[in-house]
Amino acid sequence: MALEGMEIIAIAVVIGLFVVILKQFGIWEPLSLEDSCDNDLVLSMVRHQPEGLEKLQAQTQFTRKELQSLYRGFKNECPSGLVDEKTFKTIYSQFFPQGDATTYAHFLFNAFDLDRNGSINFEDFVLGLSVLLRGSVAGKLRWAFSLYDINKDGYITKEEMLAIMTSVYDMMGRYTSPSVQDDAPLEHVDKFFQKMDRDGDGVVTVDEFIETCLKDENIMASMQLFDNVI
Amino acid sequence: MAAGVAAWLPFARAAAIGWMPIANCPMPIAPRDHSKRQDELIILNVSGRRFQTWRTTLDRYPDTLLGSSEKEFFYDEETKEYFFDRDPDAFRSVLNFYRTGKLHYPRYECISAYDEELAFFGIIPEIIGDCCYEEYKDRKRENAERLQDDQEENKDLKMPNMNFRETMWRAFENPHTSTMALVFYYVTGFFIAISVITNVVETVPCGATANQKDMPCGERYTVAFFCMDTACVMIFTVEYLMRLFAAPSRYRFMRSVMSIIDVVAILPYYIGLVMTNNEDVSGAFVTLRVFRVFRIFKFSRHSQGLRILGYTLKSCASELGFLLFSLTMAIIIFATVMFYAEKGSSSSKFTSIPASFWYTIVTMTTLGYGDMVPKTIAGKIFGSICSLSGVLVIALPVPVIVSNFSRIYHQNQRADKRRAQKKARLARIRITKTGSSNAFLQSKRNGLLNDLLELTGTEEDGQKLSKSTSLLESQHHHLLHCLEKTTAHEFVDEQMFEQNCLEMALQSYPSCSPSASSRDGSVGTCCSRRGKRSTHLPNASIPPAHQGPLHELSAIRIQCGEPPSCVVSRSSLNLKTDDSSRVNCKGGQITTAIISLPTPPALTPDGDGLHRPPQRRPPIHPPAPSIQTTSSSSCANIVKVSAL
């Protein structure tokens, strides 16, 4: 019996080897799942061409030269014309070497990716920048609101705010002075909500947000801070 | 922060607006960008090839040449571009660095040229991107090795005063340095060979004697073999002790591989002497004899190839380890399988798994002795799979080892080639050096001849002699001339110098009376030189020469002295003796010198020649002392010329 057992095993092994060899030659293609490599191949060949200069000029507050300069820098970094989230996170993390900027970068990515297709193209980029750098204060505040409102439902809940706050504190890293306590984000969120949530319903709406910020001097002053970045 | 993301900085700053509503404290003031230049195109002209880029591209790296204000030094106002007189091909990589933030090393580029370009543009090579870093480091290492080799050989060539011990060590390490060393080298090699052959022949059956059966030669001619062995071991011991004595660091020498081999080679003999011949230790004694075979490794001192092989095996230790490990795994697996497959068959040789090891090893290495073969079908199937996999497992690490060996071997070949070419290289360097110094001397002579001839009025001959020298050359020569004037010495060419030394060595004893003052002594030698020239007689000719025309001697004196400093200085050009007479012998050589140059009429090939320059001296004296010096030095130079 043991003899036959070994024989069976031997024959099975031989058959297995044959199968492997045949598969190599592509003669016999068993029902294997499709390779996912093909999908990747397809995606990487996608290229995005931005809209014409005139259209962008009309949509944003940038001059022609500024748009040209912006596009050149953008295209230099992303030759395909699209920034996916991973690249975005890598780039943004380089500015904050001490902490972990990936979470905040994720939120930022969503704030810029207006059409939610998983990649930022030049239009998204430049429209966002236009609001931030050349827009009105109300526009900037609205942009900030959209950043905090993770699920884009028009309300900032405490959980959303906590997530944002934690990600901002994460960017600081461990080596801070005074060192960041574990409940610091929560405290900060509570303070924020105290300030912003007028009607005390536990959520902050756009109007509450804008109204409160317009009244705050510090916030108003800091909004103008980056006006001459480009 | 890489420059690549510098382009995103404005974006990151703009996005910071998202923090503003959360912040509780006021924000710091933003830095103002005072240089609010519109981005403009810059033209970089590198040896005629024009590169254009944006100014902001270059500004990304402010601590390099192109990114800082240093490039303003290269700005050409008329053409409104920056001109660099550098290699445009290498500049491509430099500019790409600014554009992409990654520095690449092109393969076709010479490593030192590339390093120079990087140094010029202020870019540190350490930021070469990962894609090219390996290549760069490899090339750099090779270059460093080459330079190191050259230096080491220079070290070998220079011969300071080494004591006996150092000489001996050098003789041991480089047998080519002296004949003794070479002889020793060959003798030891011969004895190693003798010893090994002896060991081998010892065991050969020598033919039956009358009463006994075939026995090995070792037992038949015990005494002869013993004597041979003793002789070899004596030689090896002496060699080892001498090496130990000569080694600069005895401890390090004792730890080196070669010395351990030496010790292991000679130790069995001594242990054999010490041990008695009783049976219980004779077994161990026999084992010790095996170690005698290690003498063959002593050949590695004599053979480069053996050393390379050893070095290769050492450097491939990981590959060998991998090979061994994978083989072991496969052996165990297949041995187990074969054992169980053959278990059922009767009279099977596969009695246990360890017993199957032998079959597996023999099969995997494709030896196939055939002393153990599977009989069942399953056994045969697994046996064939075993042999196929054996081929694969062994074939995989072997190319790695081979390529390692080949790399090291080629490196050695390169080193040997370099050594062989070294002579030619040094000769080339020497020729260029002497060429330039000869050019200087030649130009001096020509210039001074010209002066001489102007004075005598034969202009056309002077012009014939003067070659046209470029501005660069003339400036260089002027510089050398200034140096001469500063130190009040003169440049001489090598042969002249050596000739002086030789003649000094010959002349110094009979010629100068030590009691004489420097002047007189010098005169004496000059006279003796003259005497030598005419008759090659040593002392006899001196006295008459001594009484020779005083004005000649005085002339010589005047000639050879510019002030005593000159005299002294000339002697310092020679060897260290304080024989200032040496100097004036140069003056004495005027006689011989004069023959070769045709034109200057004063230069006649006999002692009278000395008259002429002195005779000419009176007219020359009054005008200006400078001419005097020129004439004297011209005479002196003429001296040197002829001796060439």
Side-chain angles (χ1 to χ4, degrees):
Chain A
M1 203 52 207
L3 203 79
E4 286 177 10
M6 285 306 287
E7 273 189 9
I8 292 169
I9 295 174
I11 292 166
V13 164
V14 168
I15 291 172
L17 283 175
F18 271 144
V19 166
V20 168
I21 291 168
L22 286 175
K23 255 209 308 201
Q24 267 314 105
F25 282 118
I27 294 172
W28 171 16
E29 270 165 4
L31 319 115
S32 59
L33 305 161
E34 280 193 23
D35 297 280
S36 49
C37 333
D38 290 336
N39 292 342
D40 289 354
L41 199 61
V42 169
L43 190 65
S44 63
M45 305 225 302
V46 161
R47 197 178 79 89
H48 181 85
Q49 263 178 319
E51 321 236 1
L53 258 181
E54 286 76 17
K55 192 143 178 253
L56 281 176
Q57 254 185 296
Q59 285 175 339
T60 67
Q61 318 281 3
F62 290 120
T63 65
R64 200 181 172 83
K65 270 205 174 307
E66 284 169 345
L67 279 174
Q68 282 177 336
S69 169
L70 277 173
Y71 186 68
R72 279 202 303 271
F74 184 81
K75 183 95 174 150
N76 214 15
E77 294 315 306
C78 321
S80 64
L82 292 169
V83 190
D84 62 341
E85 189 165 342
K86 204 159 76 84
T87 322
F88 186 81
K89 281 184 178 168
T90 323
I91 293 172
Y92 199 73
S93 305
Q94 299 215 3
F95 292 107
F96 305 99
Q98 279 156 323
D100 175 26
T102 45
T103 330
Y104 186 74
H106 167 77
F107 296 132
L108 208 53
F109 186 83
N110 287 336
F112 269 92
D113 187 12
L114 302 167
D115 44 5
R116 311 307 297 268
N117 60 354
S119 59
I120 298 180
N121 55 22
F122 184 62
E123 284 90 352
D124 296 336
F125 180 73
V126 98
L127 283 169
L129 274 185
S130 167
V131 167
L132 286 172
L133 299 175
R134 302 288 156 95
S136 63
V137 175
K140 291 180 192 173
L141 289 171
R142 235 179 279 275
W143 186 87
F145 187 86
S146 81
L147 172 68
Y148 303 147
D149 185 13
I150 298 175
N151 54 5
K152 314 284 184 249
D153 61 353
Y155 299 103
I156 303 180
T157 64
K158 263 206 177 158
E159 289 78 22
E160 287 174 339
M161 204 57 223
L162 185 59
I164 298 271
M165 203 64 76
T166 321
S167 68
V168 173
Y169 275 91
D170 280 343
M171 277 200 288
M172 292 295 294
R174 271 184 352 137
Y175 304 107
T176 56
S177 150
S179 54
V180 174
Q181 309 297 325
D182 284 337
D183 53 356
L186 192 55
E187 267 185 52
H188 205 140
V189 169
D190 288 332
K191 266 195 283 201
F192 178 81
F193 263 76
Q194 261 179 336
K195 207 162 54 161
M196 299 284 168
D197 192 8
R198 288 306 171 74
D199 51 5
D201 54 357
V203 290
V204 178
T205 63
V206 175
D207 304 312
E208 283 177 345
F209 182 72
I210 294 181
E211 212 187 305
T212 320
C213 290
L214 282 174
K215 294 215 191 84
D216 189 323
E217 284 167 3
N218 277 342
I219 297 179
M220 280 300 107
S222 54
M223 280 288 159
Q224 320 291 335
L225 204 59
F226 296 112
D227 277 351
N228 55 355
V229 161
I230 291 195
Chain B
M1 200 178 63
V5 292
W8 285 82
L9 186 58
F11 166 78
R13 293 180 72 199
I17 289 195
W19 305 335
M20 300 302 144
I22 328 180
N24 294 328
C25 348
M27 290 290 145
I29 308 176
R32 299 210 59 99
D33 185 13
H34 289 281
S35 62
K36 256 308 206 171
R37 284 187 296 226
Q38 275 293 357
D39 209 0
E40 44 164 345
L41 275 178
I42 294 188
I43 305 177
L44 300 161
N45 185 349
V46 182
S47 303
R49 209 190 293 181
R50 282 183 172 73
F51 296 88
Q52 290 180 326
T53 183
W54 298 106
R55 186 175 284 277
T56 49
T57 312
L58 294 181
D59 287 342
R60 284 182 191 159
Y61 296 97
D63 50 355
T64 58
L65 188 150
L66 290 174
S68 63
S69 58
E70 196 182 341
K71 63 178 183 285
E72 302 304 324
F73 284 102
F74 298 93
Y75 189 67
D76 185 356
E77 297 291 343
E78 293 117 49
T79 51
K80 298 242 181 300
E81 61 189 17
Y82 294 88
F83 181 74
F84 297 96
D85 200 8
R86 309 292 298 186
D87 182 13
D89 289 326
F91 188 73
R92 262 185 54 234
S93 328
V94 168
L95 197 53
N96 277 335
F97 167 63
Y98 286 92
R99 293 188 179 127
T100 63
K102 286 198 278 254
L103 183 62
H104 295 281
Y105 170 61
R107 268 160 212 246
Y108 57 81
E109 196 75 49
C110 165
I111 185 81
S112 25
Y114 189 70
D115 270 342
E116 273 177 29
E117 291 297 312
L118 287 185
F120 179 82
F121 286 104
I123 299 173
I124 43 173
E126 271 65 36
I127 49 180
I128 289 186
D130 286 338
C131 41
C132 300
Y133 196 62
E134 282 295 322
E135 174 81 17
Y136 175 78
K137 273 292 171 199
D138 280 345
R139 295 275 285 268
K140 197 148 184 177
R141 198 166 23 94
E142 273 175 33
N143 206 36
E145 278 174 10
R146 182 180 63 79
L147 287 174
Q148 206 183 30
D149 272 354
D150 281 349
Q151 272 176 8
E152 275 174 8
E153 279 154 28
N154 286 342
K155 252 192 338 204
D156 282 344
L157 287 177
K158 72 171 159 69
M159 283 185 277
N161 302 330
M162 288 193 298
N163 58 14
F164 175 65
R165 188 171 153 188
E166 283 171 7
T167 331
M168 212 158 81
W169 179 249
R170 235 183 92 211
F172 276 132
E173 293 298 301
N174 306 351
H176 307 284
T177 47
S178 70
T179 331
M180 245 336 261
L182 212 54
V183 163
F184 185 74
Y185 177 78
Y186 283 126
V187 162
T188 45
F190 176 68
F191 271 98
I192 295 173
I194 289 278
S195 164
V196 169
I197 291 173
T198 313
N199 286 347
V200 166
V201 168
E202 233 176 27
T203 60
V204 171
C206 245
T209 59
N211 46 355
Q212 277 166 319
K213 60 173 175 44
D214 245 1
M215 64 176 182
C217 282
E219 285 175 30
R220 205 154 148 203
Y221 303 103
T222 319
V223 177
F225 279 104
F226 183 73
C227 289
M228 192 86 83
D229 207 18
T230 311
C232 293
V233 170
M234 281 300 118
I235 301 266
F236 296 151
T237 317
V238 164
E239 182 209 349
Y240 180 71
L241 289 174
M242 275 178 24
R243 272 181 207 265
L244 191 62
F245 167 68
S249 157
R250 299 223 169 97
Y251 179 60
R252 208 160 56 102
F253 171 73
M254 281 181 43
R255 278 193 318 177
S256 73
V257 175
M258 287 310 302
S259 86
I260 291 179
I261 291 176
D262 288 340
V263 168
V264 169
I266 58 180
L267 220 44
Y269 177 80
Y270 289 111
I271 295 181
L273 279 185
V274 165
M275 278 202 309
T276 59
N277 228 353
N278 46 2
E279 282 76 39
D280 35 339
V281 291
S282 68
F285 180 58
V286 165
T287 321
L288 270 178
R289 284 185 144 202
V290 168
F291 285 98
R292 288 190 307 176
V293 82
F294 277 90
R295 288 180 196 164
I296 208 169
F297 285 117
K298 285 167 72 71
F299 267 131
S300 59
R301 272 216 186 89
H302 299 251
S303 155
Q304 178 92 326
L306 258 184
R307 272 206 297 272
I308 295 176
L309 191 60
Y311 186 65
T312 309
L313 289 176
K314 197 165 63 154
S315 69
C316 298
S318 67
E319 278 82 27
L320 285 173
F322 167 67
L323 175 62
L324 218 57
F325 177 67
S326 55
L327 262 180
T328 311
M329 253 178 35
I331 285 171
I332 293 176
I333 292 174
F334 278 108
T336 314
V337 167
M338 288 308 295
F339 172 70
Y340 282 112
E342 286 289 305
K343 203 163 168 181
S345 86
S346 54
S347 74
S348 140
K349 293 235 175 96
F350 294 78
T351 52
S352 66
I353 294 188
S356 321
F357 280 168
W358 174 245
Y359 168 76
T360 318
I361 292 175
V362 165
T363 313
M364 281 187 91
T365 52
T366 71
L367 277 175
Y369 287 135
D371 54 348
M372 276 165 88
V373 282
K375 294 202 171 55
T376 62
I377 296 178
K380 287 186 180 159
I381 291 176
F382 285 117
S384 38
I385 296 176
C386 173
S387 66
L388 287 174
S389 65
V391 167
L392 278 176
V393 166
I394 291 182
L396 285 176
V398 165
V400 178
I401 298 174
V402 164
S403 77
N404 256 356
F405 178 81
S406 150
R407 180 178 57 89
I408 295 170
Y409 183 71
H410 282 306
Q411 254 176 12
N412 260 293
Q413 293 289 78
R414 262 209 311 267
D416 286 344
K417 242 198 293 190
R418 267 207 303 273
R419 258 190 292 268
Q421 287 169 351
K422 197 178 158 73
K423 271 195 167 178
R425 249 201 346 254
L426 288 179
R428 244 196 358 243
I429 295 171
R430 208 183 14 247
I431 286 173
T432 41
K433 264 205 282 195
T434 51
S436 70
S437 66
N438 280 348
F440 173 56
L441 296 172
Q442 182 76 21
S443 79
K444 259 207 306 189
R445 288 189 297 269
N446 290 343
L448 299 163
L449 273 179
N450 274 343
D451 294 337
L452 256 180
L453 294 170
E454 272 165 37
L455 295 166
T456 55
T458 49
E459 285 280 333
E460 59 275 14
D461 295 329
Q463 272 160 7
K464 252 196 295 185
L465 276 178
S466 74
K467 288 189 227 149
S468 59
T469 52
S470 69
L471 180 64
L472 206 63
E473 263 188 56
S474 59
Q475 286 175 343
H476 184 218
H477 294 162
H478 174 254
L479 183 67
L480 291 173
H481 207 72
C482 290
L483 181 61
E484 282 186 338
K485 290 286 172 256
T486 313
T487 57
H489 285 53
E490 283 204 9
F491 288 111
V492 191
D493 66 45
E494 210 177 317
Q495 288 145 316
M496 186 62 30
F497 183 74
E498 280 169 13
Q499 218 176 13
N500 297 346
C501 297
L502 277 174
E503 284 173 352
M504 277 306 88
L506 287 173
Q507 290 293 326
S508 47
Y509 289 109
S511 54
C512 302
S513 48
S515 60
S517 66
S518 67
R519 286 280 172 83
D520 295 343
S522 60
V523 165
T525 35
C526 288
C527 302
S528 68
R529 176 58 49 79
R530 239 181 326 150
K532 174 196 173 204
R533 188 229 154 252
S534 50
T535 57
H536 288 279
L537 288 179
N539 299 348
S541 58
I542 294 177
H546 255 293
Q547 285 131 28
L550 277 174
H551 72 275
E552 281 187 53
L553 304 180
S554 62
I556 297 170
R557 226 182 299 150
I558 295 171
Q559 240 171 8
C560 300
E562 288 183 40
S565 63
C566 187
V567 168
V568 169
S569 63
R570 290 237 182 98
S571 68
S572 71
L573 280 179
N574 304 323
L575 296 178
K576 291 178 207 159
T577 60
D578 52 359
D579 230 341
S580 54
S581 58
R582 202 156 293 170
V583 174
N584 293 19
C585 290
K586 280 200 192 131
Q589 283 174 337
I590 290 175
T591 54
T592 48
I594 292 165
I595 303 174
S596 49
L597 279 177
T599 337
L603 311 173
T604 51
D606 58 9
D608 292 333
L610 279 176
H611 289 278
R612 301 299 181 86
Q615 276 172 2
R616 203 181 312 149
R617 197 162 298 279
I620 297 176
H621 260 295
S626 58
I627 303 179
Q628 172 186 12
T629 46
T630 40
S631 62
S632 65
S633 52
S634 78
C635 294
N637 281 346
I638 293 167
V639 171
K640 293 161 199 157
V641 167
S642 64
L644 279 172

